[in-house]
Amino acid sequence: MNIRENIPLAPLTTFRIGGPGRFFCVVTNEAELVEAVIFARERELPFFVLGGGSNILVGDEGFDGLVIKMGIMGVNIHKKIKNPPSLNLASLGLGTPPFSKGESAAKSPFEKGGVEQSEVGDFTIIAAGAGEIWEDFVSTTVNQGLYGLENLSLIPGTVGAAPVQNIGAYGAEVSKTIILVRALDTETMKFMELTNEQCQFSYRDSVFKNQKGRYIITRVDFNLLKSGEVNIDYKDVREYFGRLVLRGEASLVARPRLAEVRKAIIEIRTSKLPDMKKWGTAGSFFKNPVIPATHFLRLKGKYPDLPGFVQKDGKYKVTLAWILDKICNVKGFAKGKVATYGRQALVIVTEPGATAKDVYELARELTERVRIATDIEIQMEVEKVGV
Ligand SMILES: Cc1cc2nc3c(=O)[nH]c(=O)nc-3n(C[C@H](O)[C@H](O)[C@H](O)COP(=O)(O)OP(=O)(O)OC[C@H]3O[C@@H](n4cnc5c(N)ncnc54)[C@H](O)[C@@H]3O)c2cc1C
């Protein structure tokens, strides 16, 4: 494995900001991953796993440790099981003990490289290497007529990072489709296969995020449906198909097909999100806050249109873009080379020459304005790397 020194990290991120990584390597299999972690440990250096760099902000001084770029990938359908009597995941070596003991004897299919697919009646279990580009993987699943990931089309990044913050969009969350995550537990230096439950998924959160640095994901197994139902309940998606019906381009009664939903999501996202060729960005910079019901009702009394969605625990998730736009009036608010995006205030965009310090200054100001106006402490969704 080739370990290089002083590698600029800015071009490897979508913000295109930040200093170099002191050491840098690309791992293409699990043995190289182990080697990389041992390299860092022997030198008492921190390490950071880099996917597509679309949810991080690298500090201006860079990262004083080892950056491990995840490159375990490939697409290779090689295992099909037709019509077994029942969905027995254990027989596939997926999702059940011995994983609960913390470790699995199953080998990663990516020793050979690739995506592994097994069909079990109506279910299709499809496994992808952590370095696969998320959007390419979603495209593959939709092209094969598999339901489950279509609403997550066009999210930048890699397959391995998707469980980390439990990516979500347009009424879908990736956790609903994940059956198992294979990862190196850097505490024990053993590979584990974590069930969906063990991943502890919640809104933009998981065990991979709240035990930062412990697990390095090498493969994700998804459980997708051969004959599913599309989910077009989300407001923007409903409105998109409503417009098609009005123009006579879609039927009022027939439900849109899988590929049509993917096309809709791509068009909606393209019209709402910044052009990454033009701007540096990491998408939504902050998380939507989840606040107690009493707090929500107090705000709702003052701002009757404030959108809020009740959660399982009775708290409310509120739409921060609405607060930034309608209460704080900061949509398109610029400070030097950094601004909130004119069409979506939750997204921070940068011009060439902007620094991480500039971004943090704007973020601090937005945080303060939201706190003063609503008494809500907002939190970054984007992760700080280095200083
Ligand atoms: C324009 C734009 C739109 C976006 N839209 C959305 C959206 O709709 N919904 C959404 O949820 N997100 C969205 N994002 C955020 C981002 O795309 C996702 O969080 C994505 O999953 C990050 O993937 P990545 O490979 O770029 O991860 P990186 O940014 O490289 O890393 C993110 C975190 O994951 C960790 N990580 C990466 N790979 C691994 C691995 N193999 N094992 C363990 N840890 C790992 C990193 O260490 C880091 O902590 C958007 C970003 C942009 C730029």
Side-chain angles (χ1 to χ4, degrees):
M1 192 186 34
N2 183 11
I3 297 205
R4 293 181 282 156
E5 282 183 66
N6 271 322
I7 298 298
L9 297 177
L12 301 175
T13 72
T14 55
F15 252 130
R16 296 194 288 276
I17 282 179
R22 183 167 157 205
F23 293 101
F24 178 90
C25 66
V26 180
V27 295
T28 57
N29 58 47
E30 291 184 343
E32 286 180 355
L33 176 60
V34 170
E35 219 184 296
V37 174
I38 290 171
F39 174 93
R41 289 265 162 83
E42 282 176 352
R43 287 159 185 80
E44 294 183 7
L45 288 170
F47 59 83
F48 175 78
V49 182
L50 178 66
S54 65
N55 207 30
I56 57 171
L57 178 56
V58 178
D60 296 319
E61 307 301 320
F63 181 69
D64 188 17
L66 171 66
V67 175
I68 303 173
K69 168 86 180 146
M70 179 49 66
I72 300 180
M73 54 207 307
V75 174
N76 173 28
I77 299 164
H78 76 101
K79 188 171 151 197
K80 288 190 178 186
I81 303 168
K82 290 265 186 214
N83 303 324
S86 66
L87 177 66
N88 181 355
L89 300 176
S91 71
L92 299 173
L94 296 169
T96 44
F99 311 126
S100 55
K101 283 192 234 137
E103 208 187 312
S104 162
K107 276 208 119 192
S108 164
F110 306 104
E111 304 288 306
K112 300 186 209 101
V115 168
E116 177 188 272
Q117 178 173 319
S118 319
E119 288 186 2
V120 187
D122 210 23
F123 296 89
T124 296
I125 293 157
I126 179 159
E132 280 291 324
I133 302 297
W134 176 256
E135 165 59 10
D136 293 349
F137 178 63
V138 174
S139 167
T140 302
T141 62
V142 171
N143 288 340
Q144 297 204 16
L146 298 173
Y147 290 74
L149 301 180
E150 60 281 3
N151 288 34
L152 304 176
S153 293
L154 215 63
I155 296 181
T158 54
V159 164
V164 175
Q165 77 146 357
N166 181 17
I167 56 168
Y170 299 97
E173 274 191 347
V174 76
S175 57
K176 301 283 183 293
T177 61
I178 290 177
I179 194 162
L180 186 143
V181 173
R182 181 171 169 93
L184 174 67
D185 180 346
T186 61
E187 274 181 14
T188 60
M189 289 307 279
K190 288 190 170 142
F191 285 92
M192 308 235 331
E193 306 211 332
L194 292 97
T195 60
N196 183 293
E197 203 183 5
Q198 288 171 318
C199 294
Q200 296 171 25
F201 290 120
S202 61
Y203 169 63
R204 297 295 176 274
D205 207 3
S206 69
V207 71
F208 312 108
K209 204 164 180 179
N210 59 43
Q211 294 194 30
K212 180 72 200 129
R214 175 165 175 188
Y215 297 107
I216 304 179
I217 297 167
T218 57
R219 188 189 94 203
V220 184
D221 294 3
F222 301 84
N223 181 13
L224 304 179
L225 284 169
K226 262 284 192 206
S227 47
E229 272 231 339
V230 290
N231 166 9
I232 54 163
D233 295 341
Y234 198 85
K235 185 169 161 280
D236 293 1
V237 187
R238 243 184 11 242
E239 287 174 359
Y240 174 97
F241 284 107
R243 283 194 298 274
L244 289 192
V245 170
L246 285 178
R247 296 206 299 261
E249 293 168 20
S251 145
L252 188 60
V253 281
R255 220 154 158 84
R257 284 187 299 230
L258 187 57
E260 289 166 340
V261 173
R262 173 166 155 78
K263 183 168 174 271
I265 300 289
I266 290 173
E267 284 182 15
I268 296 166
R269 290 186 72 95
T270 309
S271 70
K272 288 211 154 180
L273 290 168
D275 179 355
M276 289 203 292
K277 288 191 208 98
K278 195 165 163 201
W279 306 97
T281 185
S284 301
F285 195 83
F286 300 102
K287 289 187 193 182
N288 281 316
V290 179
I291 58 175
T294 46
H295 192 166
F296 176 70
L297 293 174
R298 205 167 62 236
L299 288 173
K300 194 80 177 160
K302 207 166 162 195
Y303 307 105
D305 294 336
L306 173 67
F309 305 91
V310 70
Q311 305 296 290
K312 275 191 211 133
D313 58 4
K315 289 184 172 173
Y316 278 78
K317 183 159 84 183
V318 288
T319 308
L320 182 57
W322 193 93
I323 294 176
L324 290 167
D325 181 13
K326 308 285 188 220
I327 303 180
C328 302
N329 204 16
V330 289
K331 191 147 100 173
F333 174 68
K335 262 192 135 184
K337 292 176 188 300
V338 185
T340 57
Y341 187 53
R343 287 190 217 160
Q344 172 36 295
L346 198 52
V347 172
I348 289 183
V349 288
T350 61
E351 287 178 4
T355 62
K357 187 165 166 274
D358 297 335
V359 177
Y360 290 132
E361 268 170 24
L362 180 76
R364 243 191 313 275
E365 176 148 359
L366 297 174
T367 307
E368 190 61 8
R369 287 190 185 209
V370 172
R371 195 182 56 72
I372 291 167
T374 64
D375 217 11
I376 297 175
E377 280 307 326
I378 55 174
Q379 287 172 3
M380 277 173 63
E381 180 181 307
V382 170
E383 184 184 329
K384 277 183 177 182
V385 178
V387 284

